[in-house]
């Protein structure tokens, strides 16, 4: 896990080395353990790398790494979990290795198979490979976009980097914000991560499961979608018992592979089903010798929110007792978060409400010398774990059967059980979207909940996927949408930025491509049945997770109680920001109107009505920090 950057002047203009040094060093937080650069003077190309040492801690694993014949050079961010198996396959073909790193395996695999090597990898990655012979650059991003990669191209210069903030160091990039992206974000649609758009003008995001190829004399860059989950579905066993066993095998193997590390591993434990299942699996795993298992025992890190419905500490404590692992508990106050607000916001890079305690959790991990965290991202999107998913399943049942149709009350009861207090919050009322006449629910329901036409134009690959989903039911469509385009990409972005701000790598067993393929091949009844979400996961981890957690229906997100925090300190910060003259004069929003809404909410102490103004205040804070950093970097040249 690292930070990568690169720049290629296709017009042969010489590179300014101090600028390139600054370009890669803006990512020092992603790679605090080492630094490397590669310059091809004849071709005006630069590759940079900031290293977070996880596999092969020696200098043999340093990057950028050159192939034995000096033809290829790679800079790589991520992990190839099955690198030992691929290495054996390559050795059988006559290749020899000089390090114990997965980087050398990746580079050799590209030498052997070219872009088809992507299909061999089980992992998360963003990498760039320079081919000296062809004078070409190949970039790749993993199947589900776990690792970030951004690029800018103006016809003569091509630059790429792990994070947006790196581009602030390039004087040739005409610094500006993308007005449309900011507008989309402050309206509450935080799904930019699944698009090519970023908040920086002309800086694009390489989409998940996509590669980019650029060759001198053959411009512009060519993008190719090399992965579409719908094209890789499989036949599943006919009996539910066999499907449970297959799920268990895939899940446990995904956890086993992610235990490969030369540094200590921990877990972010929420107390929910997904993170508890992972902890149960890794503590029961019997890792054979030679598998590069992590040194030392595992530690679970828990965020607690006392006196809040978001607090799951009791469940986390029970899981820790059940497994015998060490537990580190952290309680974060809104005052602590306010003290670090600038650093948290700058790390986040995108406009959102707040996810500060995640930032503090990984800070604690690094302080305790834990460098890798195995987390539960993706389980909800794969298996129907969110509050709206039961509605889709029950409406599918209504379409398939006339006798015994689920009533609107039954739907509400199923959803109600997923909220900790047993009551559906006022802002979440699925009854508004449930037609009174359930035998014909489709039209009204789809217009309210299913992805809208506007998303088709924004998501570059959604239209193609939609054509493959014609025969899918409502739940299958929604899960695919949430996993690939909506919820999950945003979660992965937030956790990448906050963990890497402290040099901690996050690994997610639920994102193992084999498990993803299998899960999307399963019938809906394996995911939601008998009042339970994620049923096949619950039925597969019975020996690893206590029933109090395994059979628990309530669903709590892994985030701080921010609405409560707005009433405990953040509202004063909100008032300060919306009265800033620069905020009031911003071209991106109606500052005075936002100030009036915030002021009214402030006077009424209505924290719910403060949330929308806070998102815009966050946008102001982020853009201000980016402007300040740009000035400092350019002035330091």
């Amino acid at each position: 896990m690292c930070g990568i950057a690169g720049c290629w002047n296709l017009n042969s203009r010489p590179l300014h080395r101090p600028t390139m040094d600054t370009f890669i060093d803006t990512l020092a937080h992603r790679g605090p353990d080492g630094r490397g650069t590669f310059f091809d003077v004849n071709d005006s190309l630069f590759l940079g790398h900031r290293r977070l040492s996880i596999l092969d801690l020696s200098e043999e694993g340093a990057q950028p790494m050159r192939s034995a014949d000096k033809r290829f050079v790679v800079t790589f961010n991520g992990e190839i979990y099955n690198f030992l198996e691929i290495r054996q396959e390559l050795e059988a073909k006559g290749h020899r290795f000089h390090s114990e790193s997965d980087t050398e395996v990746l580079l050799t695999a590209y030498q052997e198979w070219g872009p088809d090597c992507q299909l061999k990898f089980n992992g998360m990655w963003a990498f760039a490979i320079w081919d000296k012979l062809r004078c070409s650059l190949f970039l790749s991003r993993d199947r589900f976009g776990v690792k970030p990669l951004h690029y800018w191209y103006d016809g003569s210069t091509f630059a790429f980097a792990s994070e947006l903030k790196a581009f602030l160091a390039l004087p040739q990039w005409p610094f500006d914000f993308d007005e449309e992206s900011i507008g989309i974000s402050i309206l509450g649609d935080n799904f930019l991560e699944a698009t090519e758009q970023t908040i920086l003008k002309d800086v694009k995001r390489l989409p998940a499961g996509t590669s980019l190829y650029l060759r001198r004399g053959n411009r512009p860059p060519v993008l190719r979608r090399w992965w579409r989950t719908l094209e890789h579905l499989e036949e599943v066993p006919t009996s539910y018992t066999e499907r449970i066993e297959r799920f268990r095998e895939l899940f446990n193997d995904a956890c086993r592979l992610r235990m490969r590390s030369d540094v200590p591993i921990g877990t972010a434990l929420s107390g929910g089903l997904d993170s508890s299942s992972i902890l149960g699996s890794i503590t029961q795993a019997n890792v054979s010798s030679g598998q590069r298992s992590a040194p030392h025992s595992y530690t679970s890190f828990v965020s607690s929110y006392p006196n809040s419905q978001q607090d799951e500490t009791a469940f986390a404590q029970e899981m820790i007792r059940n497994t015998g692992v060490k537990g580190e508990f952290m309680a974060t106050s809104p005052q602590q978060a306010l003290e670090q607000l600038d650093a948290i916001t700058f790390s986040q890079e995108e406009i959102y409400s707040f996810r500060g305690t995640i930032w503090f959790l990984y800070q604690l991990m690094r302080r305790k010398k834990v460098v890798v965290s195995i987390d539960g991202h993706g389980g909800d999107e794969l298996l129907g774990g969110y509050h709206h998913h039961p509605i889709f399943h029950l409406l599918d049942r209504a379409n398939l059967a006339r006798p015994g149709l689920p009533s609107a009350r039954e739907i509400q009861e199923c959803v109600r059980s997923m909220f900790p207090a047993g009551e559906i919050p006022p802002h979440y009322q699925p009854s508004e979207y449930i037609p009174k006449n359930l035998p014909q629910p489709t039209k009204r329901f789809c217009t309210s909940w299913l992805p809208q036409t506007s998303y088709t134009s924004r998501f570059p690959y959604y239209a193609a996927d939609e054509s493959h989903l014609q025969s899918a039911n409502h739940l299958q469509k929604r899960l695919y949408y949430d996993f690939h385009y909506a919820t999950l990409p945003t979660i992965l972005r937030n956790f990448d930025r906050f963990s890497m701000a402290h040099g901690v790598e996050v690994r997610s067993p639920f994102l193992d491509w084999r498990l993803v393929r299998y899960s999307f091949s399963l019938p809906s009844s394996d995911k939601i049945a008998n009042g339970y979400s994620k049923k096949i996961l619950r039925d597969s981890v019975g020996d690893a997770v206590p029933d109090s957690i395994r059979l628990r229906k309530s669903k709590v997100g892994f985030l701080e109680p921010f609405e409560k925090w707005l009433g405990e300190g953040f509202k004063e910060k909100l008032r300060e920001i919306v009265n800033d003259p620069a905020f009031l004069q911003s071209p991106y929003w109606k500052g005075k109107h936002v100030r009036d809404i915030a002021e009214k909410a402030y006077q009424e102490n209505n924290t719910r009505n403060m949330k929308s103004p806070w998102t815009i205040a966050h946008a102001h804070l982020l853009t201000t920090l980016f402007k300040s950093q740009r000035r400092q970097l350019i002035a330091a040249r």
Side-chain angles (χ1 to χ4, degrees), residues 559-574:
L559 67 163
E560 62 281 318
F562 188 63
E563 185 177 329
K564 183 172 182 285
W565 283 16
L566 278 169
E568 297 178 355
F570 270 78
K571 67 178 182 180
E572 297 294 342
K573 185 64 176 180
L574 172 61

Side-chain angles (χ1 to χ4, degrees), residues 244-255:
I244 292 173
E245 183 57 33
R246 178 61 177 156
F247 185 94
R248 183 186 295 115
E249 290 174 359
L250 289 171
F251 178 68
N252 286 338
D253 196 55
C255 292

Side-chain angles (χ1 to χ4, degrees), residues 88-99:
Q88 289 179 350
E89 185 177 353
L90 290 167
E91 286 176 332
K93 291 179 175 291
H95 293 280
R96 296 294 175 261
F97 292 87
H98 305 284
S99 75

Side-chain angles (χ1 to χ4, degrees), residues 47-63:
L47 298 178
H49 188 264
R50 292 295 313 211
R51 186 182 185 191
L52 178 60
S53 301
I54 291 175
L55 291 169
D56 190 345
L57 310 185
S58 74
E59 282 302 308
E60 295 296 325
Q63 298 184 50

Side-chain angles (χ1 to χ4, degrees), residues 328-343:
E328 291 281 353
F329 293 84
M330 180 196 73
T332 305
S333 69
Q335 288 71 32
Q336 288 175 293
L338 280 169
E339 290 172 2
Q340 298 294 322
L341 183 59
D342 284 0

Side-chain angles (χ1 to χ4, degrees), residues 385-403:
Y386 289 127
H387 301 91
H388 57 278
H389 290 150
I391 303 173
F392 286 89
H393 181 53
L394 290 170
L395 284 170
D396 284 327
R397 282 177 50 196
N399 284 337
L400 292 173
R402 289 295 174 267

